[in-house]
Amino acid sequence: MEGVSSITAPSLLAMVPMVIFLIMTLMGKNYTFSVGIAAILGCILTGQGPVQFAGILVDNLGGTLGQVALIVMFGSGLGVLMDKAGINRTVVHFVVKKIGVNTEKKGMLAVLFCSLLMVVLIGTLNGGNAVIAPILLPIVASVGLTPTTVCFLMFNAGLVGVTVGPFCSAVAAALGVSGLSYASYMKWAALPYSITWMIITFILGIFIQKITKGKEAYEDIPPVEEYKASTREKMAVFSFIAVFLVMLVYGMTQDSSMKYVIFVILLLALVVGIFIDQPIPDRIKMFNSGMGKMAGMLLSFLLTGVMIDAITLGGGWEALSEIILNMVGGQSKYLLMIIASVVGGFGVEGAVVTQMEIVNQVFWPTASQMGISMELWAIVLVAAVRITSIVYPSANTAAHMGFARSNNMKLLIVCGWIISIIMLAFIPVWGMIASMFL
């Protein structure tokens, strides 16, 4: 990262690439193209030539962004193996059977728990819910749940899943950006935020069901079929969950970092592969095919790293933090937490790790000067990325409407805004509570 700077650091001019990036993404331009333009512009402004550009790009392979991209790719490969081993179907049928779905509210609980559990296990939002949807729809349709209700519950429970799942990319991003252990992240940020979110989701789900019942319903859904897992499938589920829990407990006792996730995913893939009745080379191909689906984001993440590093070289974050500190005031730490969450949730578009990196780079210097601990700040990182997921129509929203066969985008977004407002109000409340113990 050597080179002759074209601007004198610290300088707000170093933030120009970020402004260009945000404008392009909000205009709907391709993410990789947008961040690529911003990265090149950042290097030009800070005097970084082709050699320095390549050096920064390679350095990011081993940085937070590169590691998160690798985790996303590995997680996608694991998801394919789990599906082939019958783990997904077996787990969903077990949960549904235990709940005993025979009323609307039990149907809602089944959707919430199945979505949450499967997303945590598989590690991806769309991957987890795509698996359970065909299994759940006949069951919840039989008790009268509407498509919009199912979509809303499935989507929000899945978002909670990627917020708490130890091997989910969003969690890996939070650990990488904050430097916290998984146990600290869960205790001070993920659990309080997610429990509140799930309660609100269930209450709003009841409301959605009331106003959509009689207006929409599932049609042409096949009746619920009896399912009996094979001995191999049962053993696959038992082995997966056993190894998952052992690795989780071990990781928490060792204060494991994001890098630990990579090892655990590969170990789980090895365990699951044992229960797939295919030659070893075919199992490897299955894993590789899953990885390939997510390979495109690797370049996006690396270019994001170049953009962020170029802004750092130009002192852009430092200059911006001074302005923020002067505007907010040295004592208004809860106001800063809300502002950071709003900026991240409503103003920054992009991959989860990108949003967290940007929010952290922009606001953390000021937050640390105000005496905010990283444990407390972590809930801002969570809010900054989760709010974006529910207040704007997105590819994830459209995917879940497809999974649940819903077409009521307006109601989904309205309820998303309700959740976002409540969760923004929750941040200072939790901040005051947590500050008494930190």
Side-chain angles (χ1 to χ4, degrees):
M1 292 170 58
E2 298 176 355
V4 180
S5 179
S6 298
I7 57 178
T8 303
S11 173
L12 273 179
L13 288 175
M15 297 302 301
V16 171
M18 177 63 65
V19 174
I20 298 297
F21 165 69
L22 294 176
I23 291 174
M24 292 182 70
T25 53
L26 289 173
M27 290 173 61
K29 302 297 183 182
N30 178 271
Y31 177 82
T32 304
F33 175 71
S34 301
V35 76
I37 293 294
I40 293 171
L41 178 58
C43 285
I44 293 173
L45 287 174
T46 54
Q48 307 302 300
V51 174
Q52 288 78 26
F53 179 93
I56 299 172
L57 195 71
V58 172
D59 287 344
N60 275 281
L61 275 171
T64 298
L65 293 159
Q67 291 175 41
V68 171
L70 191 62
I71 288 170
V72 171
M73 294 168 66
F74 282 1
S76 181
L78 175 61
V80 171
L81 293 180
M82 290 176 64
D83 191 46
K84 295 293 184 181
I87 292 175
N88 307 328
R89 180 174 55 176
T90 304
V91 168
V92 172
H93 276 278
F94 176 80
V95 173
V96 168
K97 184 176 180 180
K98 287 299 179 182
I99 292 177
V101 180
N102 53 17
T103 65
E104 288 182 355
K105 285 188 173 62
K106 285 187 177 180
M108 293 169 64
L109 289 174
V111 175
L112 288 173
F113 282 117
C114 287
S115 176
L116 176 64
L117 180 60
M118 196 52 62
V119 170
V120 166
L121 293 179
I122 292 182
T124 62
L125 173 63
N126 290 341
N129 282 330
V131 166
I132 68 168
I135 305 169
L136 273 179
L137 292 191
I139 298 169
V140 297
S142 66
V143 293
L145 291 191
T146 67
T148 302
T149 302
V150 174
C151 181
F152 175 78
L153 296 173
M154 188 183 294
F155 186 37
N156 282 277
L159 289 172
V160 170
V162 295
T163 303
V164 300
F167 312 126
C168 294
S169 60
V171 176
L175 301 185
V177 171
S178 68
L180 295 175
S181 67
Y182 177 70
S184 294
Y185 164 77
M186 287 292 287
K187 179 179 180 181
W188 298 111
L191 276 181
Y193 194 89
S194 297
I195 291 171
T196 306
W197 191 356
M198 283 290 275
I199 292 172
I200 298 168
T201 295
F202 183 69
I203 294 171
L204 283 175
I206 295 173
F207 167 74
I208 292 173
Q209 177 66 14
K210 285 182 178 179
I211 65 175
T212 57
K213 188 174 182 180
K215 298 179 181 178
E216 55 180 71
Y218 283 108
E219 299 177 358
D220 302 323
I221 294 288
V224 180
E225 296 181 358
E226 286 294 325
Y227 170 72
K228 185 174 178 61
S230 66
T231 301
R232 178 186 286 266
E233 289 172 332
K234 291 178 181 178
M235 287 300 298
V237 171
F238 175 80
S239 301
F240 178 88
I241 293 178
V243 174
F244 183 95
L245 292 176
V246 168
M247 290 295 98
L248 176 59
V249 172
Y250 177 79
M252 294 180 70
T253 59
Q254 299 297 312
D255 284 338
S256 60
S257 66
M258 175 179 61
K259 296 176 183 178
Y260 175 69
V261 176
I262 297 175
F263 167 78
V264 175
I265 292 177
L266 291 176
L267 177 61
L268 289 171
L270 180 64
V271 171
V272 173
I274 295 173
F275 299 95
I276 299 176
D277 190 16
Q278 296 286 341
I280 292 178
D282 289 347
R283 300 176 209 171
I284 296 174
K285 287 180 182 178
M286 292 175 193
F287 186 81
N288 290 342
S289 68
M291 285 185 62
K293 296 176 183 178
M294 298 294 174
M297 70 172 56
L298 177 61
L299 177 60
S300 301
F301 282 17
L302 296 180
L303 289 172
T304 300
V306 175
M307 177 186 70
I308 289 173
D309 287 351
I311 294 173
T312 302
L313 280 172
W317 309 117
E318 184 181 349
L320 184 61
S321 66
E322 290 181 9
I323 294 175
I324 294 172
L325 185 59
N326 291 332
M327 291 176 59
V328 175
Q331 305 301 320
S332 307
K333 62 180 182 180
Y334 299 123
L335 175 60
L336 178 69
M337 292 174 71
I338 295 175
I339 292 173
S341 300
V342 170
V343 170
F346 294 93
V348 180
E349 290 288 319
V352 166
V353 65
T354 303
Q355 289 180 277
M356 287 188 181
E357 281 278 16
I358 291 173
V359 169
N360 204 55
Q361 293 284 358
V362 172
F363 294 101
W364 172 242
T366 307
S368 61
Q369 289 183 52
M370 289 183 172
I372 300 176
S373 66
M374 183 53 79
E375 286 83 359
L376 188 55
W377 185 249
I379 202 167
V380 173
L381 300 179
V382 172
V385 298
R386 290 286 72 96
I387 289 173
T388 307
S389 304
I390 55 177
V391 296
Y392 296 133
S394 65
N396 288 334
T397 312
H400 282 77
M401 290 176 70
F403 299 154
R405 302 189 186 184
S406 171
N407 58 13
N408 197 338
M409 174 72 81
K410 178 180 178 181
L411 184 55
L412 292 172
I413 297 301
V414 167
C415 288
W417 276 79
I418 293 172
I419 292 177
S420 68
I421 292 170
I422 295 174
M423 296 313 300
L424 282 173
F426 173 74
I427 290 171
V429 173
W430 174 249
M432 294 174 190
I433 296 172
S435 293
M436 294 188 292
F437 301 97
L438 287 170

